[in-house]
Amino acid sequence: MSDKIKNKVELFFSKYDKLTFSKGTVILRADQPAPGIFYIKKGLIKQYVISDRGDVLTINIFRPGSFFLMMWAINNTPNTFFFETLENTEVFRSPLKDTREFIKTNPDVLYELTSRILSGLNGIIKRLQFFAFDDADTKLLALFSYLARTYGQKSDNQYSINLPFTHKDISTWIGTSRETV
């Protein structure tokens, strides 16, 4: 996101509620109505679903500069996901009506949002391919490659991925058991 757009987005969201959450806080449950649109200033937020059997599948990890519940904001799609902080997190929460108006009147922000959504959709399509066609080892390698590209810090010919992931977190991302990971 360019500095110009980032500043515009942060200026908009800074007019609204600033909320802080400690690591491991579920800030929205699948069965709760959406209280507004969230913008992440600091921290990481995991989006996931829980099956009827209790299996967890990680859908996405939002990082600073992301805003979420946009399916609801744009399409009125009810929230069916859980959102949990992976570290101490700071967000702003804006009302739906104001956020819609902001996006409609700022085509540069809408373009950036659309670009990010399409990038995320591409990632989900790739994950579907791995789920359908590949074994656990390939899924794990693909996850590490994605995490390095998206969250990694490159030094020489190595990447360092500084995410607070456990074996269980990794298993919920690739759809396997913790023991398999």
Side-chain angles (χ1 to χ4, degrees):
M1 182 182 308
S2 73
D3 287 341
K4 179 183 173 188
I5 293 174
K6 182 180 179 182
N7 291 338
K8 188 184 280 191
V9 169
E10 287 189 358
L11 180 64
F12 167 76
F13 278 98
S14 69
K15 297 183 288 188
Y16 301 101
D17 296 336
K18 179 180 177 182
L19 307 167
T20 57
F21 300 99
S22 58
K23 177 182 176 179
T25 302
V26 176
I27 62 173
L28 186 64
R29 298 176 53 86
D31 56 359
Q32 291 178 302
I37 305 302
F38 292 89
Y39 172 77
I40 303 173
K41 177 71 175 166
K42 175 185 158 199
L44 299 169
I45 297 177
K46 176 173 71 169
Q47 175 186 16
Y48 60 96
V49 293
I50 302 175
S51 74
D52 292 340
R53 294 183 316 208
D55 297 323
V56 175
L57 179 65
T58 299
I59 303 299
N60 193 18
I61 296 174
F62 292 98
R63 57 186 165 181
S66 300
F67 33 115
F68 62 94
L69 293 179
M70 295 311 294
M71 288 188 287
W72 173 61
I74 294 174
N75 295 334
N76 290 315
T77 304
N79 176 50
T80 58
F81 303 102
F82 291 81
F83 294 88
E84 180 179 337
T85 59
L86 292 176
E87 56 190 22
N88 293 340
T89 301
E90 186 177 290
V91 300
F92 290 96
R93 184 181 62 206
S94 65
L96 172 64
K97 182 180 175 189
D98 295 358
T99 307
R100 282 181 176 163
E101 186 62 28
F102 174 67
I103 291 170
K104 287 179 182 179
T105 58
N106 289 278
D108 54 344
V109 174
L110 178 59
Y111 183 85
E112 176 68 25
L113 173 64
T114 303
S115 174
R116 291 175 77 142
I117 290 170
L118 291 174
S119 178
L121 179 60
N122 185 53
I124 288 174
I125 290 168
K126 286 180 181 178
R127 282 181 66 201
L128 282 172
Q129 290 172 327
F130 287 120
F131 274 130
F133 302 124
D134 293 320
D135 59 20
D137 289 343
T138 305
K139 291 177 191 179
L140 188 58
L141 290 173
L143 172 62
F144 286 143
S145 175
Y146 163 77
L147 293 175
R149 282 190 320 274
T150 307
Y151 303 98
Q153 296 172 343
K154 189 174 183 179
S155 175
D156 298 323
N157 286 335
Q158 299 180 23
Y159 281 91
S160 174
I161 304 169
N162 295 315
L163 290 174
F165 268 20
T166 64
H167 287 101
K168 183 67 176 166
D169 292 326
I170 294 168
S171 72
T172 67
W173 190 264
I174 65 172
T176 64
S177 69
R178 186 194 64 76
E179 293 78 13
T180 299
V181 169

